[in-house]
Amino acid sequence: MSIGDGIAGGGANGIGFPLASKDAHGGYVSSDSESVELVGGKWAKRGRLIRYASSMPVRWQPAIAFDSEAFRDRDTWTSSADEPDLRIRLAARIPLSADEWRISSSGRGRLLAGADSSGVVRLLKQLAYGNSSSSAVGSWEELDGPFGLNNSRFAAYHISTGHDGTAVRLETRLLLMLPDGRFTTDLCATVDLHINTNTCPSPTNSTGTILTSSNVIEYLTEAWWLATQIMPLAASEDLFSLPPAGAPRLEIYIQTYRRQPSDSHTKANVLDYINFSDFGSPRRARLDLLSIGVTTPLELTTTEINDIIKQAIVRMVEDAGFVVPPAPSTSPADCRDQIEVDPAGRS
């Protein structure tokens, strides 16, 4: 009942009740039980309570679950005057309870220091110039424009490669919005990769596309880490010390905005920019949107995040009508039983 720090909808109502386990003697939950499976909560269908050590408080973790209902953050932070040719977006909503939400100058410093060490700069180099060490990559700057809000509740930064005259220009945006403290509890952290080309598209690899599926997986792994571990540092030095107010949920979008030169009503084809052949073959020749939603715990290693993203892409392309070969290993539905969380953090 203490989960959620007494907020409305928390406790057993939010996380559910213990689920009988064959491993427990008679289903008994003792005071030193390290893990208790849960079912029936409003925050998530399944989850568990974890105790890492007797001196540490019990933590709640929702089970990993995929859904095809990603739409809430598809068009947030978007302006028609600022639409890229292709955008890969990972948007995280992390429900938390705090007495006060505020982005401080020291918090911005923690955010930018973490972003510099996240690997995004290295990936931008690789994606745009094929590992060229001489590639020009800018530094993190505050974002201008209609969504470039930077105050005690919002933070917006970007970093880019190249310039308007280069064949391929890449830009990463970090967009953070804190809860308003009264009507919302979601900390919203969005990581965007914008791709703009002089032509539609401008291939940079042997597959005839700009990105491979491996590029996308690696970038989304970094974006996941940024959104769930780094960007919240702008508001809190210890995210996991804050009581949960629901299950964290991430939405992934891959969509085009550029219009076809021959038809101003038709958007460019995602498949012209990204090669998804590793995941199957499309039944349709044209796609302008792929999306997926993921309910997830926050305390995951990069290896676990990478595995979840691969499963998410399988789900996305299946939803889009791809013919996907049968998986030789564990299915996405069984993933939760495979994951053991490392409280020390990133591996």
Side-chain angles (χ1 to χ4, degrees), residues 25-77:
H25 297 291
Y28 177 68
V29 179
S30 66
S31 59
D32 59 353
S33 295
E34 295 181 353
S35 177
V36 179
E37 298 297 320
L38 303 168
V39 67
K42 292 185 177 181
W43 287 355
K45 293 181 180 179
R46 295 287 294 268
R48 61 178 177 172
L49 294 174
I50 296 292
R51 187 199 308 272
Y52 295 121
S54 58
S55 59
M56 297 177 65
V58 172
R59 292 181 179 176
W60 171 68
Q61 295 177 337
I64 295 170
F66 300 95
D67 66 77
S68 302
E69 305 301 321
F71 64 89
R72 189 172 183 180
D73 288 304
R74 174 181 171 181
D75 296 317
T76 57
W77 302 91

Side-chain angles (χ1 to χ4, degrees), residues 116-326:
D116 275 335
S117 64
S118 68
V120 163
V121 175
R122 173 183 56 82
L123 284 173
L124 286 179
K125 277 188 178 184
Q126 292 178 357
L127 296 179
Y129 299 104
N131 295 313
S132 171
S133 60
S134 62
S135 301
V137 177
S139 57
W140 292 104
E141 298 177 348
E142 291 188 0
L143 187 65
D144 297 325
F147 298 106
L149 299 176
N150 284 281
N151 51 40
S152 60
R153 189 185 171 203
F154 296 88
Y157 292 91
H158 70 134
I159 188 172
S160 61
T161 66
H163 49 79
D164 293 339
T166 54
V168 179
R169 184 174 184 270
L170 304 179
E171 179 187 23
T172 287
R173 296 185 176 187
L174 308 181
L175 309 164
L176 177 66
M177 179 178 69
L178 300 185
D180 62 15
R182 297 183 61 191
F183 303 106
T184 62
T185 59
D186 289 353
L187 181 151
C188 301
T190 299
V191 181
D192 284 347
L193 173 62
H194 287 199
I195 299 177
N196 287 290
T197 64
N198 287 333
T199 59
C200 183
S202 178
T204 61
N205 59 57
S206 59
T207 65
T209 56
I210 293 176
L211 304 177
T212 66
S213 57
S214 297
N215 295 149
V216 175
I217 291 168
E218 188 176 7
Y219 192 88
L220 287 174
T221 299
E222 291 293 343
W224 185 304
W225 187 261
L226 272 170
T228 61
Q229 304 291 328
I230 301 301
M231 294 174 66
L233 293 175
S236 173
E237 293 187 59
D238 185 5
L239 182 68
F240 302 114
S241 68
L242 298 177
R249 186 172 183 276
L250 278 65
E251 294 183 349
I252 297 172
Y253 304 91
I254 302 174
Q255 62 187 123
T256 54
Y257 289 90
R258 178 194 280 266
R259 304 287 177 172
Q260 293 285 2
S262 59
D263 183 0
S264 61
H265 299 289
T266 303
K267 291 183 179 180
N269 190 3
V270 168
L271 302 178
D272 288 339
Y273 290 86
I274 304 173
N275 178 13
F276 282 115
S277 60
D278 290 344
F279 289 85
S281 56
R283 290 186 173 92
R284 292 185 294 159
R286 179 171 299 282
L287 296 171
D288 58 27
L289 173 66
L290 296 168
S291 63
I292 193 73
V294 187
T295 300
T296 177
L298 296 178
E299 297 166 292
L300 298 175
T301 66
T302 50
T303 299
E304 293 162 348
I305 293 169
N306 188 269
D307 289 341
I308 295 170
I309 288 172
K310 291 177 181 177
Q311 296 170 43
I313 291 179
V314 170
R315 294 286 295 255
M316 280 198 297
V317 298
E318 284 180 335
D319 288 349
F322 272 56
V323 179
V324 179

